[in-house]
């Protein structure tokens, strides 16, 4: 199913075209498209490491996705895929980033009125002698510090950074690059930006305010000044909880200027009281008419649109399996996980209104991708004989038909 959709979209073919193949064409057994397809499909199927290729390269089902039969050449081995990962340079990485963004922009069937950008740093523990794997004081480990950018709930950029970098490192230059690409395609689109407290610096906020038609909501660290300004609201929440014995969530709008900021800004303050505990949260915004509804109607959806997607990228597509020595090779590995994630997201669009419409990649693997079949090769084709009691055969067949009828 994934291969059928991939060929319709020319997705892995586009990835391969972004990489300059410097191999001697007279010595090539595996095309760049075949190698990319093999590696991306391995990630989708749950095989996180190139070592798995040594077992899978002669598997007839895997060989079939690059149109090879039982007696044809086996797929790329572990050493072949390792050479691929280490052959990519920074210019290839830039073209791959461009491809990811352009592919996402092309996915819009009509001009969007609004695009929401979510930015999150994440940790990627390292366990060897990888270049630029450094100790990070906050996480307390040797790691890389990838920056993940989502748009409307889909991850479109994954930038690898050295392990000791602050969350905001490179963020302004990356946002300039991304926003310029978006505005070149959709000049009038409204942009909305969400991020956690790591991005509440004056420089980042000044840049966001310089972008026309962009509204942001950025978390702030609850320091002593903010807590003091919110003290009366928190007391009121505690008093109302004591009276009603029901959870209380109260909001207020305050004007605040941190010491490094160039000016004061509006901050939405939350005070929450429940059984034996209190909680305070603060977000800064440049909304023209800031309202406390901005917290519940916009900011809290970061968990659904960004944080859960990062978990899927890391746990489902092994984005934290960066085992190469070279930093650029690990950036390429991170992008391969991103592309596997994106191809699976395109696949889930085919499943709209089905029982698996919101399924995780783990569920898709065990329900639709990793199935027991009998494979028989004849002179002209491969036959895949499914079990007659396969419980999702109707969904499998209807999904296949949708992919065949897809117009791109």
């Amino acid at each position: 199913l994934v291969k059928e959709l991939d060929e319709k979209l020319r997705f892995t073919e586009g990835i391969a075209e972004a990489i300059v193949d410097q191999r001697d064409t007279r010595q090539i057994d595996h095309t760049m498209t075949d190698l990319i397809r093999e590696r991306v499909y391995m990630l989708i199927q749950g095989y996180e490491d190139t070592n798995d290729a040594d077992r899978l390269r002669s598997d007839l089902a895997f060989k079939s996705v690059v149109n090879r039969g039982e007696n044809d050449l086996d797929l790329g081995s572990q050493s072949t895929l390792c050479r691929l990962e280490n052959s990519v340079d920074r210019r290839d990485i830039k073209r791959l980033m461009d491809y990811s963004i352009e592919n996402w922009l092309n996915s819009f069937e009509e001009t969007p009125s609004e695009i929401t950008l979510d930015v999150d740093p994440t940790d990627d523990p390292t366990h060897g002698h990888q270049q630029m794997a450094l100790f990070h004081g906050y996480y307390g480990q040797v790691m890389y510090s990838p920056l993940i950018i989502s748009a409307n709930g889909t991850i479109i950029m994954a930038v690898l950074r050295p392990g000791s970098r602050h969350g905001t490192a490179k963020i302004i230059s990356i946002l300039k690059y991304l926003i310029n690409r978006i505005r070149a395609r959709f000049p009038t689109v409204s942009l909305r930006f969400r991020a956690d407290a790591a991005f509440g610096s004056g420089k980042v906020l000044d840049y966001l305010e310089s972008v026309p038609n962009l509204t942001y909501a950025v978390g702030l660290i609850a320091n002593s000044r903010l807590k003091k300004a919110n003290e009366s609201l928190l007391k009121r929440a505690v008093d109302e909880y004591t009276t009603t014995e029901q959870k209380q969530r109260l909001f207020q709008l305050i004007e605040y200027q941190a010491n490094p900021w160039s000016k004061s800004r509006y901050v939405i303050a939350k005070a929450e009281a429940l059984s034996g505990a209190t909680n305070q949260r603060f977000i800064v915004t440049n909304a023209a008419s800031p309202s406390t509804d901005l917290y519940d109607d916009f900011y809290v959806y970061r968990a659904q649109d960004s944080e859960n997607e990062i978990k899927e990228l890391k746990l489902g597509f092994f984005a934290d399996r960066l085992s190469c020595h070279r930093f650029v090779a690990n950036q390429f590995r991170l992008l391969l996980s991103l592309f596997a994630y994106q191809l699976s997201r395109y696949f889930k669009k085919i499943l709209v209104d089905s029982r698996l419409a919101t399924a995780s990649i783990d569920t898709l693997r065990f329900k639709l991708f990793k199935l027991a079949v009998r494979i028989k090769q004849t002179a002209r084709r491969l036959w895949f004989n499914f079990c007659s009691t396969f419980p999702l055969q109707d969904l499998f067949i209807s999904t296949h038909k949708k992919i065949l009828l897809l117009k791109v």
Side-chain angles (χ1 to χ4, degrees), residues 4 14 20 32 38 42 99 106 147 150 169 173 177 196 209-210 225 230 241 252 261 267 286 307 312 336 350 382 399:
E4 295 285 352
V20 176
M32 184 63 70
E38 177 185 0
M42 284 174 61
Y99 175 74
N106 291 337
L147 186 70
S150 306
S173 60
Y177 162 72
D196 65 15
E209 289 167 359
S210 72
R225 287 178 56 200
N230 204 39
Y241 171 77
Q252 69 172 334
W261 290 2
V267 172
N286 69 331
E307 293 172 2
E312 181 84 337
L336 287 173
I350 306 294
L382 286 174
T399 301

Side-chain angles (χ1 to χ4, degrees), residues 78-90:
Q78 181 273 336
S79 57
T80 300
L81 294 179
C82 184
R83 283 193 294 271
L84 167 68
E85 292 175 345
N86 283 277
S87 68
V88 172
D89 61 24
R90 294 184 182 278

